[in-house]
Amino acid sequence: VNFETREVWRDGKPVPMTTLEFNLLKTLIESGRTAMSREELLRAVWGYHYTGETRTVDVHVQRLRGKIGNDRIETIVRFGYRFREDV
């Protein structure tokens, strides 16, 4: 992941991402091993004034998993998510 150019590569191939997907991935990576709640992700990625359901986060995480691999984003049951660098 190149934050400056906003490019993501997997197995030597570019991975197309929407702005929201990239921002979500960047936020998870920057949080390190700290798990982020769905509400924290909504505030960080969608903004404080976002009034949608927290299910939105789950949908976008599923899309990211499809693009970067299921094992890279860990689900913390009944809380949220964290990025796994050790995979």
Side-chain angles (χ1 to χ4, degrees), residues 50-72:
Y50 184 81
T51 57
E53 297 292 323
T54 56
R55 183 78 181 131
T56 299
V57 175
D58 299 336
V59 170
H60 280 80
V61 165
Q62 278 305 111
R63 289 183 189 156
L64 271 181
R65 284 178 170 155
K67 293 180 177 190
I68 66 170
N70 285 333
D71 56 347
R72 301 304 300 212

Side-chain angles (χ1 to χ4, degrees), residues 19-31:
T19 298
L20 277 174
E21 289 169 343
F22 185 86
N23 291 344
L24 177 58
L25 178 61
K26 183 176 186 279
T27 300
L28 287 167
I29 290 171
E30 289 178 336
S31 72

